[in-house]
Amino acid sequence: MTENLTEKSVKSFLDELASSAPAPGGGSVAALSGALGAALICMVSNLTIGKEKYAGVQGEIKILLKQSESLRKKLTDLVEEDVAAYTILSQTMKMPRDTEEQKATRARAMEKALKGAIDVPMRVAEACVAVMDLCNPAAEKGNTNAVSDVGVGILMAEAGLRSAALNVLINLGWMKDTQYVSETRRKLDGLLRGKPALRDEIYELVVSKLYS
């Protein structure tokens, strides 16, 4: 049984990433980046729960922990799913196309494989947006001794979002289904809209707390 990528050591992961193998690649890194951001929100929540100084926000922080933990798991799973989706796409690209029938069969298989390779980073993007949305309450109400970790979290989540978007776009470029391409781009634009401003807002909030 093949060991999952996320169960390997950091060194092994980086060695595989640096190799000439097509996967893992940017898609897995995007999911991992988002998972790191979610994990940092989990950590800040855990460092706040049970602290007398934050007695007034315990209920909210427990909800924050549950949400961030769910996103951490989802994004961790997506690291593996991206490898699987790209492997299918890579295999499909190698299908024979010597005859018209083979070309038609390959073309249909490519559309299906491309949709699979687009679906995963789209879900990564959605999850990263959800992580970004948790950063404001984490910075506002979480343990101030760990507020810098919220700053790192927002940067990781936004990096995951933008990285996932690149993986969506490169695969859309191969799609023949113009309606699907248009709808997906519109959805992706909606996910990206306003996120640089949100990142800067959270980052500045974190920095202001570090100086207070």
Side-chain angles (χ1 to χ4, degrees):
M1 185 176 179
T2 306
E3 185 182 12
N4 283 344
L5 194 63
T6 51
E7 293 173 348
K8 296 183 178 183
S9 69
V10 173
K11 183 180 183 303
S12 294
F13 182 97
L14 292 175
D15 285 345
E16 286 194 37
L17 190 64
S19 75
S20 60
S28 292
V29 170
L32 179 60
S33 181
L36 290 170
L40 285 167
I41 304 305
C42 291
M43 184 187 79
V44 173
S45 300
N46 279 316
L47 288 171
T48 308
I49 291 171
K51 298 292 192 296
E52 186 178 347
K53 180 180 177 181
Y54 304 97
V57 295
Q58 291 296 295
E60 295 165 87
I61 296 297
K62 285 177 181 177
I63 292 172
L64 191 64
L65 175 60
K66 184 177 180 180
Q67 293 171 328
S68 55
E69 183 59 38
S70 175
L71 288 165
R72 182 176 76 90
K73 184 181 184 307
K74 180 183 291 186
L75 284 157
T76 301
D77 290 343
L78 285 166
V79 173
E80 306 291 350
E81 288 187 43
D82 185 80
V83 173
Y86 190 81
T87 299
I88 291 171
L89 178 59
S90 182
Q91 291 169 347
T92 304
M93 287 178 175
K94 296 173 184 176
M95 288 176 66
R97 44 182 166 172
D98 299 322
T99 67
E100 291 305 313
E101 184 179 354
Q102 286 177 341
K103 288 177 182 178
T105 300
R106 181 182 180 276
R108 288 192 296 270
M110 278 294 293
E111 288 289 282
K112 182 178 179 181
L114 282 165
K115 285 183 178 179
I118 290 165
D119 174 68
V120 175
M122 279 298 292
R123 286 189 283 139
V124 170
E126 290 168 351
C128 286
V129 168
V131 174
M132 292 182 74
D133 288 339
L134 299 182
C135 290
N136 188 278
E140 287 280 10
K141 299 169 183 177
N143 192 321
T144 54
N145 291 329
V147 71
S148 61
D149 295 293
V150 180
V152 177
I154 189 70
L155 294 174
M156 289 296 97
E158 201 226 3
L161 166 62
R162 293 170 72 87
S163 301
L166 292 175
N167 282 272
V168 171
L169 292 172
I170 193 169
N171 288 311
L172 282 177
W174 290 89
M175 289 287 300
K176 305 298 183 187
D177 185 340
T178 55
Q179 183 178 347
Y180 175 86
V181 170
S182 178
E183 289 174 356
T184 304
R185 281 183 175 164
R186 187 161 50 247
K187 186 176 181 182
L188 183 62
D189 287 344
L191 291 171
L192 290 167
R193 192 172 299 117
K195 297 311 180 297
L198 176 60
R199 174 205 62 212
D200 291 346
E201 178 186 333
I202 302 300
Y203 190 86
E204 292 304 321
L205 172 61
V206 167
V207 170
S208 71
K209 284 180 173 283
L210 293 175
Y211 282 106
S212 62

